[in-house]
Amino acid sequence: MSALAAELQGHEPMAPEPWRILAVRREVADGEVFTWTLEPLSGRAATARPGQFNMLYLFGVGEVAISVSAIEDDGAVVHTIRAVGSVTRAMQGLRTGEVVGVRGPFGTAWPVADAKGRDLVLAAGGIGLAPLRPVVHAVLARRQDFGRVLLCYGARSPRDLIFRDELDEWQVRRELDLRVTVDRGTADWKGDVGVVTQLIDRGGFDGRNALAMVCGPEVMMRFSALSLHRRGVAPERTFVSMERSMRCALGFCGHCQIGPHFVCRDGPVFPYPVMEPAFRVNEL
Amino acid sequence: MRELLEILQGQSFFDGLTEAQLKLVAAFAALRSFEAGRYLFREHEPADAFYLIRSGRVSLESLLPGRQPGTFMTLGGGDMLGWSWLIPPYRWHYDARALEPVHTAHFDAAALRERMDHDPVLGYALHKRFTMLIVERLQAARLQHLDIYASGEGDVGLGG
Amino acid sequence: MRVIAPQAMEKLVHLLSDDGYEVVGPTVREGAIVYDRLGGMDDLPIGRGDDHGQGHYRLRDRGDKALFGYVVGPHSWKKYLFPPRETLVRVLRRDDGGFETAPGEAPPPRRAFIGVRPCELAAIAVQDRVFLGQAVRDRAYGARRDGVFLVAVNCAEPGGTCFCTSMGTGPRAHGGFDLALTEVIDGDGHFLVAEAGSEAGGRLLERLAPREATEAERTAAERVWREAPARMGRSMRGDAREVLARSLEHPRWEETAARCLSCANCTLVCPTCFCAQIEERPDLEGKVSERVRSWDSCFNGEHSYVIGGPHRTTVAARYRQWLTHKLSTWHAQFGSSGCVGCGRCITWCPVGIDITEEVAAIGADTGGSGP
């Protein structure tokens, strides 16, 4: 056995690596959604691809799967987290400079390269914008490679919109067709009201030549896929990102199965037809 | 007239109508604009029109007693507005207000309805298109009602 | 054909112990055959047999001196290779706010398993594919699995809930062992036929001083191998993988769920079930936190927890997950069925749900069951 193989055999895949929080940013008013920029203490880490996730670990509390919401050139990784459970709520109190654990990156990536020469439709619901943001960055970096780029983003209410500065910037740059809507407007909300699927229904892309990436609650992805299909986007060129309980991210713990698929290993990004049974059969 | 016909021809909503049918429909249409803040129509008023929004955004609102008017949907360029003219008692069920300068094609629905009664082929063709529109809006309303972004308790997931 | 006397088991246990193995095997405890440390052949369940049925298990006296005259108990070897609870890693908090990691447990002893049934060899191979055959190797499983010495014992008397012939895993082992034994009790004769499956097994066999079988012994052994397959109490008919894949919304799920207690017994006794939860266990001082892995079950509500609550809220959905995974989707995941036909889930189900009966019932409605 080679030295490397021996070292790998002895490596505990559930052991987190220490990473430092370089920056913390509140995404919504009460800080329930926040963004961390992280760098590895060791100085080296595998580069994540858009759509992949890391297991973020908090000493003494536990671990949670969070997709990357940006990938920086210097190896830093950005995660956007919603505080909804014991681990993420504990994470909410952390500050710049503190050390957390990271395992990853894991899972499949959005097929950004396959969208070259095509129109690209990105449909995001709620915090589902976070896993799609690295795609926007990748597209803007090589804008000429793509046809029309449409980003449809729906949230529950104006206060739930994340990445607001960046949304404004994208709106101003006009390199993509950004459409934002909320389910419930407020008195001071000047933007659109309605569900995200209606933004897709309005078209503005060549369905037959388009590739679509959808991320949000399952119902939203299901209806978005229908709207995309109506607009001529082939189901096999529609991609969704699934959410299940990922505890080990290695295909060992069995929690994230959808039919024959381990979301951690075979996903989270799947072509829509692969996930169609999960959308159709209740509680699969 | 020619301008209106061209506008209608560019709308996917009317895709599949014959040129003769389009001309007929165009004959019931007129360009109409609204300043920001103006109402296209108000709840309970007679529904004797429908609109093709050419540009600008329109807010559909319902008055909630004791609360600010609630916008349940916004429409914009390319969207069709209004189907209450199809169904008795032909009254609007909500307010439609221009959020910014809005340019529309306004259709004299009362007259068109009479025409459709006597020309079932045209009537069916238009009914089909409005049914699709109604279904699309119904699905959207249902999805909106589901409150799909409501956060429960939990710790797992890609978003946190 | 080489044979050894039953008494050679005493020497076998001692030789393996002397070689540094922790020797584990079948023994009687609290009315059941369980796997535990063996000090010698007296610890074996001599003369004991077991009756198996739907939700039924009883030990009985066989009236002979059989060493391996039982079928299988509630334990399987996964208790050693994938223990019910183990600390995978310890995270040590440093004064500067950072942390480092250390091994969770001392290296496991090298073990010799005595009395591994052919279906259990198959189950170990199934778990090997799960833990060692994916892109990342499970270190903890690998550390326990590497160097295990396997003494298989072929089945002469399969039990009432057995169906290994249907799953192609028994009742005779054809590989994957170091040493395989067949116990033959024939009139006054009582002996063990021994086959080596590895070099280490061959060397150990030589130290047991085997002799060549007589013609009568050869005939008796061959009769055991020939007759055992016909003694299965159950059979899995039809293509379960196909039947279940197209029956995700079959009414049978609801019907069976009405009986199922969602108690998770089936997943605990199953020798291939591998679901586990990861628990964080900090010490009181906040200096060390252990990441502990323990068996989980798809019948537990927490198992499918996502934001908003369990994804599988109904017992029907959980039972469907178990059965379709075990018999159908496992093929796509790991290239084989997840079922080895040991029958434990039938025996230990408190309400007697029988997976072979379930597949037959679903298959009958969808035209998929066999003849």
Side-chain angles (χ1 to χ4, degrees), chain A residues 9-20 41 57-63 82 84 98-103 218 243-245 247-248 250-262 265 277 280-284, chain C residues 88-89 91-94 97-99 101 130-132 134 136-140 146 248-249 274-278 280 282 286-289 291 293 296 302-307 311-314 317 320-321 325 329 332-334:
Chain A
Q9 286 229 328
H11 176 71
E12 172 50 56
M14 291 298 288
E17 296 285 328
W19 288 48
R20 187 181 308 284
L41 291 192
Y57 168 83
L58 191 53
F59 177 88
V61 183
E63 203 177 44
R82 183 161 68 148
V84 284
E98 294 197 75
V99 174
V100 295
V102 173
R103 293 192 298 123
E218 238 166 78
E243 182 158 317
R244 281 294 183 277
S245 169
R247 311 272 176 95
C248 75
L250 301 162
F252 296 146
C253 82
H255 286 86
C256 68
Q257 293 178 79
I258 300 177
H261 311 287
F262 289 103
R265 187 189 76 173
R280 184 169 44 78
V281 180
N282 197 28
E283 301 202 349
L284 189 65
Chain C
L88 293 176
V89 61
V91 183
L92 316 171
R93 176 153 233 163
R94 294 196 326 206
F99 64 82
T101 56
V130 172
F131 289 116
L132 306 177
Q134 299 192 66
V136 174
R137 180 183 153 95
D138 188 86
R139 183 205 52 80
D146 291 343
L248 296 175
E249 296 184 296
F274 60 84
C275 283
Q277 53 184 328
I278 312 294
E280 187 75 15
K287 288 190 170 158
V288 180
S289 194
R291 310 207 66 204
R293 172 162 77 183
D296 198 356
E302 287 280 308
H303 185 276
S304 62
Y305 211 79
V306 287
I307 291 175
H311 173 68
R312 297 186 195 99
T313 59
T314 63
R320 177 181 63 195
Q321 170 59 24
H325 183 217
T329 55
Q333 292 173 347
F334 301 111

Side-chain angles (χ1 to χ4, degrees), chain B residues 103-129:
Chain B
H103 299 284
T104 74
H106 165 282
F107 296 83
D108 181 347
L112 182 61
R113 196 168 60 219
E114 204 162 314
R115 177 77 206 194
M116 287 160 67
D117 284 342
H118 293 99
D119 183 351
V121 175
L122 175 69
Y124 178 64
L126 285 176
H127 250 285
K128 232 169 36 176
R129 282 160 180 76

Side-chain angles (χ1 to χ4, degrees), chain A:
Chain A
M1 193 188 298
S2 73
L4 177 67
E7 189 191 318
L8 286 176
Q9 286 229 328
H11 176 71
E12 172 50 56
M14 291 298 288
E17 296 285 328
W19 288 48
R20 187 181 308 284
I21 303 174
L22 287 181
V24 181
R25 190 190 154 84
R26 281 182 166 203
E27 297 295 350
V28 298
D30 64 1
E32 187 193 285
V33 180
F34 54 97
T35 295
W36 283 353
T37 306
L38 300 169
E39 69 168 1
L41 291 192
S42 68
R44 59 195 158 85
T47 308
R49 291 178 295 149
Q52 289 192 299
F53 67 95
N54 278 315
M55 296 301 293
L56 301 187
Y57 168 83
L58 191 53
F59 177 88
V61 183
E63 203 177 44
V64 60
I66 307 283
S67 63
V68 298
S69 67
I71 302 147
E72 310 217 328
D73 295 337
D74 60 1
V77 167
V78 180
H79 286 286
T80 299
I81 303 161
R82 183 161 68 148
V84 284
S86 56
V87 179
T88 46
R89 267 198 285 265
M91 286 175 166
Q92 200 178 352
L94 267 57
R95 291 164 203 278
T96 300
E98 294 197 75
V99 174
V100 295
V102 173
R103 293 192 298 123
F106 298 110
T108 53
W110 297 109
V112 179
D114 293 353
K116 284 187 181 166
R118 297 181 182 278
D119 285 0
L120 176 61
V121 182
L122 305 174
I127 197 161
L129 180 61
L132 281 171
R133 186 170 69 162
V135 177
V136 177
H137 294 160
V139 166
L140 291 179
R142 304 183 62 90
R143 183 64 189 86
Q144 69 284 359
D145 289 356
F146 304 88
R148 275 168 291 185
V149 178
L150 186 69
L151 171 56
C152 303
Y153 174 34
R156 190 186 195 204
S157 73
R159 71 166 287 281
D160 298 306
L161 294 169
I162 58 171
F163 308 146
R164 296 192 73 147
D165 294 350
E166 217 169 345
L167 290 175
D168 290 345
E169 188 195 317
W170 294 341
Q171 196 77 267
V172 170
R173 280 174 69 174
R174 306 186 80 86
E175 288 178 305
L176 52 86
D177 181 358
L178 172 65
R179 304 172 183 181
V180 180
T181 188
V182 295
D183 277 11
R184 284 156 180 67
T186 48
D188 57 344
W189 172 245
K190 302 281 180 260
D192 280 344
V193 177
V195 290
V196 66
T197 53
Q198 288 175 291
L199 302 181
I200 301 170
D201 291 335
R202 274 173 206 156
F205 55 90
D206 175 8
R208 288 157 305 167
N209 187 40
L211 186 143
M213 304 177 187
V214 187
C215 186
E218 238 166 78
V219 195
M220 172 265 173
M221 294 198 286
R222 209 168 76 205
F223 281 89
S224 295
L226 280 176
S227 288
L228 287 161
H229 200 179
R230 264 206 307 273
R231 282 277 158 194
V233 183
E236 56 273 19
R237 275 207 298 277
T238 300
F239 294 82
V240 295
S241 179
M242 298 301 289
E243 182 158 317
R244 281 294 183 277
S245 169
M246 278 155 324
R247 311 272 176 95
C248 75
L250 301 162
F252 296 146
C253 82
H255 286 86
C256 68
Q257 293 178 79
I258 300 177
H261 311 287
F262 289 103
V263 174
C264 71
R265 187 189 76 173
D266 310 324
V269 176
F270 291 96
Y272 177 77
V274 174
M275 278 300 113
E276 197 269 337
F279 290 135
R280 184 169 44 78
V281 180
N282 197 28
E283 301 202 349
L284 189 65

Side-chain angles (χ1 to χ4, degrees), chain C residues 35-370:
Chain C
Y35 297 145
D36 208 338
R37 294 282 290 270
L38 297 181
M41 70 177 286
D42 289 346
D43 290 334
L44 292 171
I46 298 172
R48 307 304 293 276
D50 49 4
D51 293 326
H52 289 254
Q54 285 171 258
H56 174 83
Y57 175 89
R58 289 288 182 280
L59 290 189
R60 60 180 162 80
D61 285 322
R62 292 174 51 93
D64 61 16
K65 298 275 191 210
L67 305 178
F68 302 100
Y70 58 91
V71 185
V72 285
H75 285 185
S76 67
W77 304 99
K78 85 174 177 184
K79 73 178 249 190
Y80 294 112
L81 300 176
F82 168 52
R85 190 175 178 81
E86 78 184 304
T87 302
L88 293 176
V89 61
R90 293 163 71 238
V91 183
L92 316 171
R93 176 153 233 163
R94 294 196 326 206
D95 292 338
D96 63 4
F99 64 82
E100 51 203 52
T101 56
E105 295 178 5
R110 229 164 33 126
R111 291 196 171 97
F113 296 172
I114 310 293
V116 184
R117 295 302 188 185
C119 63
E120 297 185 301
L121 285 176
I124 291 169
V126 167
Q127 286 211 325
D128 284 352
R129 287 192 286 276
V130 172
F131 289 116
L132 306 177
Q134 299 192 66
V136 174
R137 180 183 153 95
D138 188 86
R139 183 205 52 80
Y141 181 90
R144 294 170 189 280
R145 177 70 177 90
D146 291 343
V148 164
F149 192 91
L150 291 166
V151 179
V153 175
N154 292 318
C155 288
E157 300 174 31
T161 57
C162 289
F163 55 100
C164 67
T165 43
S166 302
M167 306 315 292
T169 61
R172 189 180 171 190
H174 294 286
F177 51 79
D178 293 291
L179 201 60
L181 306 173
T182 303
E183 185 172 33
V184 182
I185 300 175
D186 181 37
D188 297 332
H190 183 189
F191 59 93
L192 299 161
V193 175
E195 305 161 76
S198 69
E199 278 183 36
R203 285 195 298 274
L204 183 74
L205 179 55
E206 290 313 315
R207 290 157 77 192
L208 294 172
R211 57 177 177 78
E212 275 304 314
T214 65
E215 195 53 41
E217 285 170 339
R218 182 181 294 272
T219 306
E222 280 166 359
R223 189 166 59 241
V224 166
W225 292 329
R226 196 172 58 243
E227 291 178 356
R231 304 170 97 161
M232 301 284 144
R234 291 283 189 283
S235 66
M236 181 73 80
R237 281 168 304 179
D239 182 353
R241 176 187 186 175
E242 174 57 29
V243 164
L244 297 181
R246 63 160 183 265
S247 307
L248 296 175
E249 296 184 296
H250 197 281
R252 182 81 181 187
W253 301 119
E254 293 288 347
E255 291 161 29
T256 304
R259 286 195 292 149
C260 174
L261 306 176
S262 202
C263 71
N265 263 16
C266 48
T267 59
L268 297 175
V269 295
C270 178
T272 67
C273 271
F274 60 84
C275 283
Q277 53 184 328
I278 312 294
E279 195 188 329
E280 187 75 15
R281 289 185 58 89
D283 67 349
L284 286 174
E285 287 181 283
K287 288 190 170 158
V288 180
S289 194
E290 295 182 336
R291 310 207 66 204
V292 180
R293 172 162 77 183
S294 55
W295 289 355
D296 198 356
S297 169
C298 49
F299 285 94
N300 294 338
E302 287 280 308
H303 185 276
S304 62
Y305 211 79
V306 287
I307 291 175
H311 173 68
R312 297 186 195 99
T313 59
T314 63
V315 175
R318 294 176 201 167
Y319 187 73
R320 177 181 63 195
Q321 170 59 24
W322 186 66
L323 205 67
T324 54
H325 183 217
K326 188 67 53 186
L327 295 170
S328 187
T329 55
W330 205 297
H331 285 274
Q333 292 173 347
F334 301 111
S336 76
S337 174
C339 177
V340 296
C342 72
R344 284 183 180 88
C345 59
I346 307 172
T347 300
W348 296 96
C349 176
V351 297
I353 296 170
D354 175 347
I355 64 169
T356 65
E357 192 180 312
E358 295 307 306
V359 172
I362 291 168
D365 282 1
T366 59
S369 93

